[in-house]
Amino acid sequence: MNNDLSRTGIIDIGSNSIRLVIYETTPEGGYRIIKECKYSARLSEKITIENRLERDALETIVPVLLQFKQVCRVFGAERIRAGATAAIRNASNSEEIASFLSEAASLPIEIISGQQEAYFGFLGVINAFDVEDGFVIDIGGGSTEITQFQNRRFRNSISFPFGAVNTNVAFSHGGNWSMEQVHRLENFVRERLESCEWLKSGKGLPLFGLGGTLRTLGKIDQKRKSYSLPNSHGYTLSTETVKRFMETLPAMPYDKRKNLEGLSKSRADIIVSGLIIFHTVYQYVGAGHALISGEGLREGMLHDLLEPGNPVRASALEYSLGTLQQLNQEASAEFLSQVLEHAQKLFTTLNGENDEKEMEMLIYVSVMLYRLGANINYYQSKRHTRYWLMNSPIRGLTHRQLVLCSMIASYSTKSRKQKLSADHKDILLPSDEERIHKLGSLVQLSAALDTGETGIQQQIKPRLKGGSLEIELRVNERPLLKLEEIDNALKAFRNAWDLKVKLEYTSNSQHS
């Protein structure tokens, strides 16, 4: 293990399940997940009429916490942070519960307040999306938190003591729902929302969803559409999709619902109660659309632990790229910096004064992650780069941008004869096929023109003359080891841009 890296275990004692996630972290606060364990406890179902969690219910949790500690020891996690949310927080004997579990498991257990839970959820979301304003909803088993943020800053939050598990118990009949029961839960939720004026102040903004309910709705929708990029994080649920769920899922009997593709049997009973809460909030705030976040409470607890004074990153994308580069050092920073400089010069020359912020961003990300696949196999690095990027935790990109970057970064001379967008036509725009070929060949040529790794200093000077591009490559000696790579890259580039290209080698000594 790299000596600069450390490991931290985060334990989330929730109303529905108890989870341990072990993160490998960089000194800058970047991280990746290296282990996750989950135990389905459904604590909110074990709350007594007196609103207590009794000792016999808690004794089943102690062995789970002890095994989590063992896993942390095996994986070398130096720090463990354990937090208990709604089921324990809302119990009348919460302090007694936390004290018993802390002593029995020899592990300090924090009772996370509703305000803290909302804040941690916000931290998870804001560091995973490049967005300025919006709402966050976190539907757990025994509580629902709603947060409003503006200019990437936490503004308002509220925590309600109802979630997918306890409302399923209180309002449904064993996971089966009549229209009357649906309306009763809708009215129950709406009445409580009316206590918050700020919920009405962001009509049209995105609603970011955390928790199993939202992830499950995303999976069901992806299966229904045969969606070509089965990533939960960043998946969009439109108003029409949310409405369709409300028309179909509550009306479906529990026995039939548990066989629905994308829905795990363990969630088949509580998915409807979670959906009703979500839909009611969605309508009440007037959300424009919903986005699923794969990062929430646990990541927020980690951000707060690692960077308590400054846990919100200015850019989720920059933060994500920096972490990936530190954890996967396939290319030197010097090489990537030179390739990016070449790519930016070429693009500016070809694009003139046109403001193409997205194209510039796609070039930047594709260059920064250009050699990622070499981590798996140097000789098949292009293929692995494409797969790696499509399935990697790059935050701050839409699904479409993620697919584009993976294809641009993995572009090769063979790519010019292929229709690359075909497998993802449900995600990409018709114009993206040309965009992939143009930017892919540009990035590939920029990498080919860089001779720094052969020890040869170089500069490029591109200029448009009439209908052709002239590239002056200033070098202190002819880059013999790169000539074939440059020639192949030039062919692909000419083809993609439909442009005459002339490459001229000049000696650096002539310009000194």
Side-chain angles (χ1 to χ4, degrees), residues 199-485:
L199 287 173
K200 289 285 194 183
S201 65
K203 191 173 171 58
L205 289 175
L207 176 61
F208 292 85
L210 302 175
T213 294
L214 271 297
R215 283 196 305 274
T216 301
L217 292 175
K219 282 178 191 169
I220 296 170
D221 196 47
Q222 288 180 345
K223 291 285 185 185
R224 184 185 67 81
K225 290 179 175 175
S226 299
Y227 190 68
S228 63
L229 187 71
N231 295 359
S232 287
H233 182 83
Y235 186 68
T236 301
L237 295 172
S238 67
T239 299
E240 294 73 27
T241 301
V242 177
K243 185 183 172 191
R244 189 188 310 110
F245 275 130
M246 275 303 293
E247 288 167 355
T248 55
L249 284 182
M252 197 181 288
Y254 168 64
D255 285 340
K256 186 179 176 187
R257 197 188 313 128
K258 64 186 180 185
N259 296 317
L260 194 63
E261 211 176 353
L263 176 59
S264 66
K265 287 183 172 59
S266 65
R267 196 168 279 278
D269 56 341
I270 61 172
I271 188 65
V272 175
S273 48
L275 168 63
I276 295 167
I277 294 168
F278 168 64
H279 179 249
T280 308
V281 173
Y282 186 95
Q283 285 191 312
Y284 194 86
V285 302
H289 58 281
L291 284 140
I292 298 166
S293 176
E295 304 195 0
L297 172 70
R298 289 178 293 279
E299 286 72 26
M301 289 171 70
L302 181 70
H303 288 301
D304 181 65
L305 184 68
L306 297 177
E307 300 276 348
N310 189 27
V312 177
R313 313 290 167 169
S315 163
L317 179 58
E318 289 291 349
Y319 168 58
S320 189
L321 289 177
T323 301
L324 283 171
Q325 284 160 359
Q326 247 201 300
L327 294 171
N328 303 278
Q329 297 174 350
E330 285 73 38
S332 71
E334 193 177 349
F335 167 76
L336 296 176
S337 162
Q338 279 295 306
V339 174
L340 181 62
E341 189 181 314
H342 297 341
Q344 288 171 335
K345 279 183 182 176
L346 285 169
F347 185 71
T348 303
T349 303
L350 292 165
N351 203 44
E353 297 300 311
N354 297 330
D355 185 24
E356 280 282 9
K357 289 258 185 295
E358 186 185 55
M359 299 268 270
E360 289 166 4
M361 181 274 287
L362 294 172
I363 290 169
Y364 170 64
V365 175
S366 301
V367 169
M368 289 297 106
L369 302 174
Y370 178 72
R371 282 192 178 164
L372 215 51
N375 194 35
I376 300 170
N377 185 319
Y378 179 85
Y379 295 105
Q380 296 167 350
S381 66
K382 298 281 188 187
R383 177 161 60 108
H384 294 307
T385 293
R386 178 178 299 192
Y387 178 83
W388 210 104
L389 289 185
M390 282 210 201
N391 295 278
S392 67
I394 302 173
R395 303 316 191 201
L397 297 179
T398 65
H399 280 197
R400 173 181 158 268
Q401 291 167 342
L402 194 59
V403 172
L404 284 173
C405 287
S406 73
M407 292 186 166
I408 293 164
S410 63
Y411 197 87
S412 70
T413 50
K414 294 171 188 169
S415 302
R416 66 195 173 103
K417 295 175 182 172
Q418 299 167 5
K419 186 163 170 56
L420 297 169
S421 61
D423 290 344
H424 298 283
K425 60 179 183 290
D426 58 331
I427 296 174
L428 298 176
L429 304 172
S431 58
D432 283 336
E433 178 69 23
E434 183 185 2
R435 197 168 279 119
I436 293 163
H437 285 284
K438 281 191 165 185
L439 299 188
S441 62
L442 184 140
V443 168
Q444 188 191 30
L445 178 60
S446 302
L449 291 173
D450 186 74
T451 60
E453 290 184 324
T454 60
I456 297 171
Q457 294 179 336
Q458 94 292 323
Q459 280 181 300
I460 74 160
K461 190 176 178 185
R463 54 186 171 266
L464 267 180
K465 274 199 175 176
S468 66
L469 176 69
E470 292 183 358
I471 304 172
E472 182 186 350
L473 183 62
R474 298 175 181 176
V475 285
N476 54 357
E477 60 181 290
R478 198 166 175 81
L480 302 176
L481 306 181
K482 299 278 284 187
L483 294 179
E484 186 180 351
E485 184 187 347

Side-chain angles (χ1 to χ4, degrees), residues 171 177-187 246 250 272 276:
F171 289 88
W177 292 80
S178 66
M179 283 313 294
E180 185 195 345
Q181 289 168 317
V182 171
H183 292 319
R184 276 181 56 223
L185 179 51
E186 285 176 328
N187 291 333
M246 275 303 293
V272 175
I276 295 167

